[in-house]
Amino acid sequence: MIPVTKPYLPNREKLNQYLDGIYERNWLSNNGPLAQELTSRLEEYLGVENLLLVSNGTLALQIAYRALGINEPVNGKAAEAVTTPFTFIATASSLKWDAIQPVFADIDPETWCLAPENIEAKITPQTRAIVPVHVFGNACDVEAIGAIAQKHNLKVIYDASHAFGVNYKGESLLKHGDAATLSFHATKLFHTGEGGAIIFKRKEDLERAKKMINFGITGPESIEELGINAKMNELQAAMGLCVLDEMDVNMAARHAVWDTYERELSGSVQLQKRSSNLTYNAAYFPVVFESESVAVQLADLLKVNGILARRYFFPSLESVKFLGHTDHQPVSSDIAGRILCLPVYASLEGREQKVVIDVIRSSFARGLLQ
């Protein structure tokens, strides 16, 4: 099968060198030297400050919520956060898990990011934050969202899981918001096997979060606040350092795949409208078809031909009952029903990608999709 994605595996000999060092030091966790090195190198590579490594991307969101205080009740009632229904479940479920009610606002029909014009109608006295998502690495309207947040005294936490290495107007997109979170899951453009990071605007928020990820412990006999174990270990950091060394090769290969799809399919499907002044990371290739029926039929045809595409993101999250607040979001629901993500990864061979393209083209040409 041709999977929708495949983890990037770096040079094994270099990884072994890092592992040898771990064995020599016998230091596996608790802010080891590799975690410290990865923090420094990622800040330099991404052009950011106040970066905190954590053990996964979901905990990155949860630590950000707590470090910024948006999980605290308002007048005895649960806090709320305005967010998008067109995203991976973790964006919303992490809010709910921390007793913050996700309130969904609809997306822009072309960029597929949270539409600023839909946010203010969702703000109530319980609202503490806006949690937008840079969907597929596409930049939200950060200026408009920032203005709304300032007007209503709200925090902004960007789920930037897809936006590794993305620059906007010449600077890292991760600089926007009070915090931006990254996922370093194995399938991501940059990964540590499993892991994540938070980039804070303010150093004081970073320092509070550092305590939180280590049980609130600040010394051998000192516990200053409620915490949890969310630290990145040395094995994860070793993988990350190796992957970071090869980012140029990884990115170039993905861009070649992305450019081929765009050239061969742009006349047949709807593509995401990318924000202007954006450097794209080619992490995903989402396409939208004319109907949900066509998308589902094509996914089945691709699978028959040994290709796994993914309905990513489906379903639109306002339809997930346990999240609450189920007001229908028509644009998100429509896009979620008609979308497929096609295989993109560095080791995807040209002949494999040709199979994907040929199946899509021939399905339309032969009238197999209705």
Side-chain angles (χ1 to χ4, degrees):
M1 298 294 288
I2 300 173
V4 69
T5 189
K6 186 181 289 187
Y8 183 89
L9 292 177
N11 181 276
R12 180 65 179 271
E13 291 182 4
K14 180 168 285 189
L15 180 59
N16 285 342
Q17 292 174 9
Y18 281 114
L19 295 178
D20 288 343
I22 292 172
Y23 271 74
E24 291 169 5
R25 290 184 295 272
N26 200 28
W27 189 348
L28 297 179
S29 189
N30 291 347
N31 196 32
L34 296 186
Q36 295 176 44
E37 181 182 350
L38 183 58
T39 298
S40 176
R41 287 191 55 192
L42 282 174
E43 286 185 337
E44 180 180 3
Y45 181 87
L46 296 171
V48 299
E49 298 178 337
N50 303 325
L51 183 145
L52 180 65
L53 295 174
V54 292
S55 51
N56 64 63
T58 303
L59 279 168
L61 288 165
Q62 292 177 277
I63 296 298
Y65 303 151
R66 287 178 174 266
L68 295 169
I70 73 165
N71 64 306
E72 298 169 5
V74 181
N75 299 321
K77 298 180 181 178
E80 296 178 352
V82 179
T83 190
T84 171
F86 189 69
T87 181
F88 184 61
I89 182 64
T91 310
S93 63
S94 60
L95 288 164
K96 193 75 171 179
W97 191 272
D98 270 352
I100 306 163
Q101 178 58 51
V103 177
F104 296 115
D106 216 345
I107 62 173
D108 182 277
E110 295 185 317
T111 68
W112 311 339
C113 293
L114 181 63
E117 62 268 23
N118 296 329
I119 293 174
E120 286 198 273
K122 301 293 183 176
I123 295 173
T124 75
Q126 305 303 117
T127 308
R128 301 292 295 270
I130 306 170
V131 183
V133 178
H134 298 306
V135 178
F136 304 126
N138 196 22
C140 295
D141 188 339
V142 292
E143 291 89 358
I145 291 172
I148 293 168
Q150 185 174 22
K151 176 181 176 181
H152 295 276
N153 193 28
L154 302 175
K155 301 292 187 183
V156 179
I157 298 95
Y158 280 102
D159 183 338
S161 294
H162 294 173
F164 185 91
V166 173
N167 287 337
Y168 174 68
K169 294 186 177 180
E171 287 194 313
S172 173
L173 182 59
L174 305 174
K175 287 186 173 182
H176 290 274
D178 296 281
T181 68
L182 290 166
S183 169
F184 297 157
H185 184 265
T187 58
K188 292 295 188 288
L189 172 66
F190 170 83
H191 74 88
T192 57
E194 181 73 90
I198 314 163
I199 295 91
F200 289 102
K201 177 179 287 186
R202 291 171 290 273
K203 188 172 180 60
E204 54 265 35
D205 296 328
L206 168 68
E207 295 303 324
R208 186 178 182 204
K210 282 182 179 179
K211 300 174 189 176
M212 289 183 172
I213 68 170
N214 189 33
F215 308 99
I217 296 172
T218 56
E221 299 176 353
S222 175
I223 304 171
E224 294 188 2
E225 66 175 282
L226 183 66
I228 196 169
N229 183 9
K231 304 183 297 294
M232 177 176 285
N233 64 53
E234 290 290 271
L235 297 171
Q236 291 174 300
M239 176 62 77
L241 287 165
C242 290
V243 173
L244 190 59
D245 281 340
E246 299 178 19
M247 280 303 298
D248 289 346
V249 174
N250 186 2
M251 290 273 282
R254 284 176 175 265
H255 273 286
V257 171
W258 206 99
D259 291 345
T260 298
Y261 277 138
E262 184 180 41
R263 182 177 64 251
E264 299 295 331
L265 296 177
S266 59
S268 305
V269 296
Q270 177 186 343
L271 303 181
Q272 184 183 29
K273 181 182 178 181
R274 284 186 272 170
S275 303
S276 58
N277 302 304
L278 187 76
T279 61
Y280 201 58
N281 64 11
Y284 299 86
F285 195 85
V287 293
V288 169
F289 298 92
E290 63 183 26
S291 70
E292 182 170 8
S293 175
V294 169
V296 172
Q297 289 178 67
L298 185 55
D300 290 341
L301 281 170
L302 288 167
K303 189 173 183 179
V304 168
N305 285 273
I307 303 157
L308 294 179
R310 184 171 178 181
R311 300 184 70 192
Y312 196 42
F313 304 101
F314 181 86
S316 184
L317 293 185
E318 85 274 10
S319 67
V320 178
K321 299 301 182 185
F322 69 77
L323 293 174
H325 283 238
T326 56
D327 291 346
H328 181 57
Q329 306 300 321
V331 179
S332 176
S333 180
D334 175 54
I335 298 297
R338 298 189 289 125
I339 197 166
L340 288 179
C341 275
L342 303 182
V344 175
Y345 46 91
S347 60
L348 183 67
E349 297 180 7
R351 60 179 179 79
E352 294 175 315
Q353 187 177 16
K354 185 176 186 302
V355 173
V356 179
I357 294 168
D358 287 348
V359 169
I360 295 172
R361 282 180 157 181
S362 65
S363 297
F364 282 112
R366 293 161 60 194
L368 300 179
L369 307 172
Q370 298 180 12

